[in-house]
Amino acid sequence: MPWWILEVGTNVALLAIALWLGPFIKRFGRAYAADVFHDNPLTGKSYIVLTDIVYYLIFAAYILFSLHVAPQRDWDNDISALVTAKQVTFELGRLGGILLIIGILHGLNIVLMPLLGRIF
């Protein structure tokens, strides 16, 4: 298959993950934010809205930073323009990379939210 089909498929997968994972995290995050910001519920609601904005900005930036409009030299597909194992490895790294970034940021959010709840 041509290299660009895998590129488009990876970008569609990244968008699908963003559109599925965002509401999933938000649904469970509301209860946690309500517990943390129980003294000031409006702050908790505002916090959830702001984290949603940050979430989608991170996904959009990641997709745009890792988007390719031409095959890379190290994929070794310049002549045939077909998918190679190096390109598949790169695209799997893109998918794993965003999951790792979101996982780390989600973990930091879980740890830092109670500290913010005490402050506000």
Side-chain angles (χ1 to χ4, degrees), residues 22 25-26 28-30 32-33 36-37 44 46-55 58 101-117:
I25 291 172
K26 184 178 182 178
F28 294 108
R30 283 184 186 150
Y32 185 61
V36 170
F37 296 103
S46 298
Y47 187 83
I48 292 293
V49 169
L50 290 174
T51 55
D52 282 347
I53 293 169
V54 169
Y55 172 83
I58 289 169
I101 289 169
I102 295 301
I104 289 170
L105 292 175
H106 185 65
L108 287 173
N109 191 24
I110 288 171
V111 170
L112 293 177
M113 195 185 295
L115 298 175
L116 294 172

mmCIF file of all heavy atoms in Angstrom, residues 22 25-26 28-30 32-33 36-37 44 46-55 58 101-117:
data_model
loop_
_atom_site.group_PDB
_atom_site.id
_atom_site.type_symbol
_atom_site.label_atom_id
_atom_site.label_comp_id
_atom_site.label_asym_id
_atom_site.label_seq_id
_atom_site.Cartn_x
_atom_site.Cartn_y
_atom_site.Cartn_z
ATOM 1 N N GLY A 22 -11.432 11.683 25.366
ATOM 2 C CA GLY A 22 -11.766 12.950 26.023
ATOM 3 C C GLY A 22 -13.041 12.880 26.844
ATOM 4 O O GLY A 22 -13.025 13.159 28.053
ATOM 5 N N ILE A 25 -12.630 10.422 29.905
ATOM 6 C CA ILE A 25 -11.916 11.005 31.039
ATOM 7 C C ILE A 25 -12.790 12.044 31.739
ATOM 8 O O ILE A 25 -12.833 12.102 32.969
ATOM 9 C CB ILE A 25 -10.579 11.626 30.574
ATOM 10 C CG1 ILE A 25 -9.610 10.534 30.137
ATOM 11 C CG2 ILE A 25 -9.955 12.465 31.679
ATOM 12 C CD1 ILE A 25 -8.343 11.060 29.491
ATOM 13 N N LYS A 26 -13.488 12.841 30.960
ATOM 14 C CA LYS A 26 -14.327 13.895 31.536
ATOM 15 C C LYS A 26 -15.444 13.311 32.395
ATOM 16 O O LYS A 26 -15.751 13.823 33.472
ATOM 17 C CB LYS A 26 -14.914 14.754 30.424
ATOM 18 C CG LYS A 26 -15.725 15.920 30.921
ATOM 19 C CD LYS A 26 -16.222 16.754 29.762
ATOM 20 C CE LYS A 26 -17.004 17.950 30.236
ATOM 21 N NZ LYS A 26 -17.431 18.781 29.132
ATOM 22 N N PHE A 28 -15.575 10.549 34.146
ATOM 23 C CA PHE A 28 -15.103 10.092 35.444
ATOM 24 C C PHE A 28 -14.410 11.203 36.227
ATOM 25 O O PHE A 28 -14.332 11.142 37.445
ATOM 26 C CB PHE A 28 -14.173 8.887 35.279
ATOM 27 C CG PHE A 28 -14.891 7.680 34.757
ATOM 28 C CD1 PHE A 28 -14.690 7.241 33.459
ATOM 29 C CD2 PHE A 28 -15.789 7.002 35.559
ATOM 30 C CE1 PHE A 28 -15.359 6.131 32.972
ATOM 31 C CE2 PHE A 28 -16.465 5.889 35.087
ATOM 32 C CZ PHE A 28 -16.255 5.456 33.781
ATOM 33 N N GLY A 29 -13.917 12.212 35.533
ATOM 34 C CA GLY A 29 -13.243 13.320 36.202
ATOM 35 C C GLY A 29 -14.188 14.261 36.931
ATOM 36 O O GLY A 29 -13.795 14.931 37.881
ATOM 37 N N ARG A 30 -15.431 14.327 36.487
ATOM 38 C CA ARG A 30 -16.398 15.207 37.147
ATOM 39 C C ARG A 30 -16.608 14.828 38.606
ATOM 40 O O ARG A 30 -16.638 15.693 39.487
ATOM 41 C CB ARG A 30 -17.738 15.167 36.421
ATOM 42 C CG ARG A 30 -17.768 15.958 35.165
ATOM 43 C CD ARG A 30 -19.156 15.948 34.569
ATOM 44 N NE ARG A 30 -19.143 16.589 33.274
ATOM 45 C CZ ARG A 30 -19.957 16.281 32.294
ATOM 46 N NH1 ARG A 30 -20.864 15.333 32.457
ATOM 47 N NH2 ARG A 30 -19.886 16.912 31.150
ATOM 48 N N TYR A 32 -14.583 13.153 40.534
ATOM 49 C CA TYR A 32 -13.342 13.402 41.269
ATOM 50 C C TYR A 32 -13.191 14.888 41.567
ATOM 51 O O TYR A 32 -12.852 15.279 42.687
ATOM 52 C CB TYR A 32 -12.157 12.874 40.465
ATOM 53 C CG TYR A 32 -10.829 12.963 41.178
ATOM 54 C CD1 TYR A 32 -10.625 12.294 42.377
ATOM 55 C CD2 TYR A 32 -9.792 13.708 40.654
ATOM 56 C CE1 TYR A 32 -9.406 12.366 43.035
ATOM 57 C CE2 TYR A 32 -8.566 13.783 41.298
ATOM 58 C CZ TYR A 32 -8.387 13.114 42.487
ATOM 59 O OH TYR A 32 -7.186 13.196 43.133
ATOM 60 N N ALA A 33 -13.474 15.728 40.573
ATOM 61 C CA ALA A 33 -13.385 17.178 40.781
ATOM 62 C C ALA A 33 -14.420 17.641 41.796
ATOM 63 O O ALA A 33 -14.142 18.544 42.601
ATOM 64 C CB ALA A 33 -13.568 17.910 39.458
ATOM 65 N N VAL A 36 -12.957 16.825 45.169
ATOM 66 C CA VAL A 36 -11.807 17.662 45.506
ATOM 67 C C VAL A 36 -12.228 19.102 45.794
ATOM 68 O O VAL A 36 -11.757 19.724 46.737
ATOM 69 C CB VAL A 36 -10.762 17.622 44.367
ATOM 70 C CG1 VAL A 36 -9.687 18.662 44.575
ATOM 71 C CG2 VAL A 36 -10.147 16.229 44.271
ATOM 72 N N PHE A 37 -13.122 19.630 44.971
ATOM 73 C CA PHE A 37 -13.553 21.028 45.109
ATOM 74 C C PHE A 37 -14.927 21.109 45.775
ATOM 75 O O PHE A 37 -15.764 21.922 45.381
ATOM 76 C CB PHE A 37 -13.599 21.712 43.743
ATOM 77 C CG PHE A 37 -12.254 21.833 43.077
ATOM 78 C CD1 PHE A 37 -11.898 20.988 42.038
ATOM 79 C CD2 PHE A 37 -11.350 22.788 43.491
ATOM 80 C CE1 PHE A 37 -10.663 21.105 41.418
ATOM 81 C CE2 PHE A 37 -10.110 22.914 42.872
ATOM 82 C CZ PHE A 37 -9.767 22.065 41.843
ATOM 83 N N GLY A 44 -14.504 23.714 40.637
ATOM 84 C CA GLY A 44 -14.358 22.381 40.055
ATOM 85 C C GLY A 44 -14.876 22.315 38.632
ATOM 86 O O GLY A 44 -14.243 21.725 37.762
ATOM 87 N N SER A 46 -15.149 24.847 36.532
ATOM 88 C CA SER A 46 -14.234 25.636 35.701
ATOM 89 C C SER A 46 -12.948 24.862 35.427
ATOM 90 O O SER A 46 -12.406 24.908 34.327
ATOM 91 C CB SER A 46 -13.895 26.955 36.387
ATOM 92 O OG SER A 46 -15.048 27.733 36.559
ATOM 93 N N TYR A 47 -12.475 24.145 36.424
ATOM 94 C CA TYR A 47 -11.261 23.347 36.272
ATOM 95 C C TYR A 47 -11.456 22.266 35.208
ATOM 96 O O TYR A 47 -10.584 22.050 34.361
ATOM 97 C CB TYR A 47 -10.875 22.724 37.615
ATOM 98 C CG TYR A 47 -9.551 22.020 37.597
ATOM 99 C CD1 TYR A 47 -8.368 22.716 37.754
ATOM 100 C CD2 TYR A 47 -9.478 20.638 37.405
ATOM 101 C CE1 TYR A 47 -7.147 22.075 37.733
ATOM 102 C CE2 TYR A 47 -8.269 19.991 37.385
ATOM 103 C CZ TYR A 47 -7.103 20.712 37.549
ATOM 104 O OH TYR A 47 -5.901 20.060 37.518
ATOM 105 N N ILE A 48 -12.590 21.598 35.236
ATOM 106 C CA ILE A 48 -12.876 20.563 34.239
ATOM 107 C C ILE A 48 -12.928 21.158 32.832
ATOM 108 O O ILE A 48 -12.398 20.574 31.880
ATOM 109 C CB ILE A 48 -14.201 19.833 34.582
ATOM 110 C CG1 ILE A 48 -14.030 19.006 35.859
ATOM 111 C CG2 ILE A 48 -14.675 18.951 33.440
ATOM 112 C CD1 ILE A 48 -13.079 17.844 35.730
ATOM 113 N N VAL A 49 -13.540 22.313 32.681
ATOM 114 C CA VAL A 49 -13.613 22.960 31.364
ATOM 115 C C VAL A 49 -12.211 23.301 30.873
ATOM 116 O O VAL A 49 -11.872 23.061 29.706
ATOM 117 C CB VAL A 49 -14.498 24.219 31.433
ATOM 118 C CG1 VAL A 49 -14.375 25.043 30.166
ATOM 119 C CG2 VAL A 49 -15.950 23.836 31.671
ATOM 120 N N LEU A 50 -11.393 23.852 31.748
ATOM 121 C CA LEU A 50 -10.033 24.212 31.345
ATOM 122 C C LEU A 50 -9.194 22.985 31.002
ATOM 123 O O LEU A 50 -8.410 23.020 30.043
ATOM 124 C CB LEU A 50 -9.354 25.021 32.451
ATOM 125 C CG LEU A 50 -9.913 26.422 32.660
ATOM 126 C CD1 LEU A 50 -9.254 27.067 33.870
ATOM 127 C CD2 LEU A 50 -9.723 27.276 31.421
ATOM 128 N N THR A 51 -9.350 21.904 31.740
ATOM 129 C CA THR A 51 -8.588 20.695 31.409
ATOM 130 C C THR A 51 -9.061 20.087 30.088
ATOM 131 O O THR A 51 -8.251 19.508 29.361
ATOM 132 C CB THR A 51 -8.665 19.640 32.529
ATOM 133 O OG1 THR A 51 -10.018 19.352 32.824
ATOM 134 C CG2 THR A 51 -7.933 20.096 33.777
ATOM 135 N N ASP A 52 -10.334 20.237 29.758
ATOM 136 C CA ASP A 52 -10.822 19.783 28.454
ATOM 137 C C ASP A 52 -10.150 20.554 27.324
ATOM 138 O O ASP A 52 -9.741 19.970 26.312
ATOM 139 C CB ASP A 52 -12.332 19.953 28.338
ATOM 140 C CG ASP A 52 -13.104 18.889 29.066
ATOM 141 O OD1 ASP A 52 -12.500 17.875 29.457
ATOM 142 O OD2 ASP A 52 -14.321 19.075 29.247
ATOM 143 N N ILE A 53 -10.049 21.851 27.493
ATOM 144 C CA ILE A 53 -9.407 22.684 26.471
ATOM 145 C C ILE A 53 -7.951 22.274 26.301
ATOM 146 O O ILE A 53 -7.458 22.093 25.179
ATOM 147 C CB ILE A 53 -9.535 24.175 26.829
ATOM 148 C CG1 ILE A 53 -10.999 24.605 26.741
ATOM 149 C CG2 ILE A 53 -8.664 25.037 25.920
ATOM 150 C CD1 ILE A 53 -11.286 25.969 27.325
ATOM 151 N N VAL A 54 -7.250 22.089 27.414
ATOM 152 C CA VAL A 54 -5.844 21.675 27.362
ATOM 153 C C VAL A 54 -5.710 20.321 26.686
ATOM 154 O O VAL A 54 -4.816 20.109 25.863
ATOM 155 C CB VAL A 54 -5.240 21.653 28.788
ATOM 156 C CG1 VAL A 54 -3.888 20.974 28.808
ATOM 157 C CG2 VAL A 54 -5.141 23.058 29.336
ATOM 158 N N TYR A 55 -6.603 19.394 27.002
ATOM 159 C CA TYR A 55 -6.573 18.052 26.421
ATOM 160 C C TYR A 55 -6.636 18.112 24.894
ATOM 161 O O TYR A 55 -5.811 17.506 24.205
ATOM 162 C CB TYR A 55 -7.744 17.245 26.992
ATOM 163 C CG TYR A 55 -7.960 15.911 26.339
ATOM 164 C CD1 TYR A 55 -7.226 14.807 26.730
ATOM 165 C CD2 TYR A 55 -8.901 15.766 25.331
ATOM 166 C CE1 TYR A 55 -7.420 13.584 26.130
ATOM 167 C CE2 TYR A 55 -9.099 14.538 24.728
ATOM 168 C CZ TYR A 55 -8.359 13.459 25.120
ATOM 169 O OH TYR A 55 -8.548 12.250 24.519
ATOM 170 N N ILE A 58 -3.508 19.704 23.311
ATOM 171 C CA ILE A 58 -2.366 18.781 23.281
ATOM 172 C C ILE A 58 -2.518 17.786 22.138
ATOM 173 O O ILE A 58 -1.574 17.532 21.384
ATOM 174 C CB ILE A 58 -2.221 18.051 24.628
ATOM 175 C CG1 ILE A 58 -1.740 19.025 25.695
ATOM 176 C CG2 ILE A 58 -1.266 16.859 24.523
ATOM 177 C CD1 ILE A 58 -1.803 18.485 27.096
ATOM 178 N N ILE A 101 1.863 10.437 26.667
ATOM 179 C CA ILE A 101 1.755 11.838 27.071
ATOM 180 C C ILE A 101 0.467 12.084 27.840
ATOM 181 O O ILE A 101 0.471 12.686 28.923
ATOM 182 C CB ILE A 101 1.843 12.763 25.836
ATOM 183 C CG1 ILE A 101 3.257 12.763 25.277
ATOM 184 C CG2 ILE A 101 1.414 14.192 26.185
ATOM 185 C CD1 ILE A 101 3.384 13.425 23.924
ATOM 186 N N ILE A 102 -0.649 11.614 27.313
ATOM 187 C CA ILE A 102 -1.937 11.821 27.986
ATOM 188 C C ILE A 102 -1.962 11.071 29.315
ATOM 189 O O ILE A 102 -2.483 11.572 30.313
ATOM 190 C CB ILE A 102 -3.106 11.392 27.070
ATOM 191 C CG1 ILE A 102 -3.165 12.312 25.846
ATOM 192 C CG2 ILE A 102 -4.427 11.398 27.810
ATOM 193 C CD1 ILE A 102 -3.355 13.786 26.159
ATOM 194 N N GLY A 103 -1.386 9.875 29.363
ATOM 195 C CA GLY A 103 -1.334 9.122 30.615
ATOM 196 C C GLY A 103 -0.529 9.837 31.687
ATOM 197 O O GLY A 103 -0.950 9.920 32.847
ATOM 198 N N ILE A 104 0.622 10.369 31.315
ATOM 199 C CA ILE A 104 1.453 11.101 32.281
ATOM 200 C C ILE A 104 0.737 12.357 32.760
ATOM 201 O O ILE A 104 0.692 12.649 33.962
ATOM 202 C CB ILE A 104 2.826 11.439 31.665
ATOM 203 C CG1 ILE A 104 3.661 10.169 31.511
ATOM 204 C CG2 ILE A 104 3.569 12.475 32.509
ATOM 205 C CD1 ILE A 104 4.931 10.352 30.703
ATOM 206 N N LEU A 105 0.168 13.108 31.832
ATOM 207 C CA LEU A 105 -0.540 14.331 32.221
ATOM 208 C C LEU A 105 -1.769 14.023 33.068
ATOM 209 O O LEU A 105 -2.090 14.761 34.001
ATOM 210 C CB LEU A 105 -0.932 15.137 30.980
ATOM 211 C CG LEU A 105 0.250 15.748 30.212
ATOM 212 C CD1 LEU A 105 -0.242 16.424 28.947
ATOM 213 C CD2 LEU A 105 1.020 16.718 31.079
ATOM 214 N N HIS A 106 -2.452 12.934 32.760
ATOM 215 C CA HIS A 106 -3.619 12.535 33.552
ATOM 216 C C HIS A 106 -3.180 12.152 34.967
ATOM 217 O O HIS A 106 -3.835 12.533 35.946
ATOM 218 C CB HIS A 106 -4.334 11.372 32.868
ATOM 219 C CG HIS A 106 -5.605 10.966 33.521
ATOM 220 N ND1 HIS A 106 -6.699 11.788 33.589
ATOM 221 C CD2 HIS A 106 -5.950 9.828 34.152
ATOM 222 C CE1 HIS A 106 -7.666 11.175 34.239
ATOM 223 N NE2 HIS A 106 -7.236 9.975 34.588
ATOM 224 N N GLY A 107 -2.083 11.434 35.081
ATOM 225 C CA GLY A 107 -1.558 11.072 36.393
ATOM 226 C C GLY A 107 -1.148 12.292 37.206
ATOM 227 O O GLY A 107 -1.443 12.388 38.401
ATOM 228 N N LEU A 108 -0.486 13.245 36.551
ATOM 229 C CA LEU A 108 -0.130 14.482 37.240
ATOM 230 C C LEU A 108 -1.363 15.248 37.688
ATOM 231 O O LEU A 108 -1.390 15.822 38.780
ATOM 232 C CB LEU A 108 0.726 15.360 36.332
ATOM 233 C CG LEU A 108 2.162 14.909 36.114
ATOM 234 C CD1 LEU A 108 2.838 15.769 35.050
ATOM 235 C CD2 LEU A 108 2.941 14.960 37.418
ATOM 236 N N ASN A 109 -2.381 15.254 36.854
ATOM 237 C CA ASN A 109 -3.628 15.933 37.194
ATOM 238 C C ASN A 109 -4.278 15.304 38.424
ATOM 239 O O ASN A 109 -4.768 15.993 39.308
ATOM 240 C CB ASN A 109 -4.581 15.896 36.001
ATOM 241 C CG ASN A 109 -5.761 16.798 36.173
ATOM 242 O OD1 ASN A 109 -5.734 17.762 36.916
ATOM 243 N ND2 ASN A 109 -6.825 16.485 35.470
ATOM 244 N N ILE A 110 -4.263 13.986 38.476
ATOM 245 C CA ILE A 110 -4.856 13.282 39.623
ATOM 246 C C ILE A 110 -4.093 13.620 40.912
ATOM 247 O O ILE A 110 -4.687 13.797 41.969
ATOM 248 C CB ILE A 110 -4.870 11.760 39.367
ATOM 249 C CG1 ILE A 110 -5.908 11.427 38.309
ATOM 250 C CG2 ILE A 110 -5.145 10.986 40.644
ATOM 251 C CD1 ILE A 110 -5.863 10.006 37.816
ATOM 252 N N VAL A 111 -2.781 13.719 40.812
ATOM 253 C CA VAL A 111 -1.972 14.014 41.991
ATOM 254 C C VAL A 111 -2.084 15.483 42.401
ATOM 255 O O VAL A 111 -2.173 15.808 43.585
ATOM 256 C CB VAL A 111 -0.492 13.632 41.727
ATOM 257 C CG1 VAL A 111 0.410 14.133 42.829
ATOM 258 C CG2 VAL A 111 -0.361 12.124 41.572
ATOM 259 N N LEU A 112 -2.084 16.382 41.419
ATOM 260 C CA LEU A 112 -2.079 17.818 41.730
ATOM 261 C C LEU A 112 -3.462 18.382 42.057
ATOM 262 O O LEU A 112 -3.555 19.406 42.736
ATOM 263 C CB LEU A 112 -1.476 18.596 40.565
ATOM 264 C CG LEU A 112 0.005 18.349 40.309
ATOM 265 C CD1 LEU A 112 0.474 19.121 39.089
ATOM 266 C CD2 LEU A 112 0.831 18.725 41.526
ATOM 267 N N MET A 113 -4.521 17.743 41.587
ATOM 268 C CA MET A 113 -5.860 18.293 41.820
ATOM 269 C C MET A 113 -6.190 18.439 43.304
ATOM 270 O O MET A 113 -6.747 19.466 43.705
ATOM 271 C CB MET A 113 -6.930 17.481 41.091
ATOM 272 C CG MET A 113 -8.253 18.233 41.014
ATOM 273 S SD MET A 113 -9.621 17.305 40.286
ATOM 274 C CE MET A 113 -9.107 17.060 38.639
ATOM 275 N N PRO A 114 -5.876 17.463 44.167
ATOM 276 C CA PRO A 114 -6.161 17.671 45.587
ATOM 277 C C PRO A 114 -5.399 18.860 46.193
ATOM 278 O O PRO A 114 -5.914 19.558 47.055
ATOM 279 C CB PRO A 114 -5.726 16.362 46.246
ATOM 280 C CG PRO A 114 -5.815 15.358 45.164
ATOM 281 C CD PRO A 114 -5.456 16.081 43.908
ATOM 282 N N LEU A 115 -4.179 19.091 45.709
ATOM 283 C CA LEU A 115 -3.440 20.263 46.191
ATOM 284 C C LEU A 115 -4.133 21.549 45.774
ATOM 285 O O LEU A 115 -4.242 22.499 46.563
ATOM 286 C CB LEU A 115 -2.015 20.224 45.650
ATOM 287 C CG LEU A 115 -1.152 19.043 46.082
ATOM 288 C CD1 LEU A 115 0.188 19.065 45.379
ATOM 289 C CD2 LEU A 115 -0.960 19.064 47.590
ATOM 290 N N LEU A 116 -4.620 21.590 44.551
ATOM 291 C CA LEU A 116 -5.365 22.762 44.103
ATOM 292 C C LEU A 116 -6.678 22.918 44.846
ATOM 293 O O LEU A 116 -7.124 24.031 45.139
ATOM 294 C CB LEU A 116 -5.630 22.676 42.589
ATOM 295 C CG LEU A 116 -4.392 22.757 41.694
ATOM 296 C CD1 LEU A 116 -4.768 22.472 40.252
ATOM 297 C CD2 LEU A 116 -3.727 24.097 41.832
ATOM 298 N N GLY A 117 -7.308 21.797 45.169
ATOM 299 C CA GLY A 117 -8.551 21.837 45.933
ATOM 300 C C GLY A 117 -8.356 22.446 47.311
ATOM 301 O O GLY A 117 -9.212 23.162 47.814
#
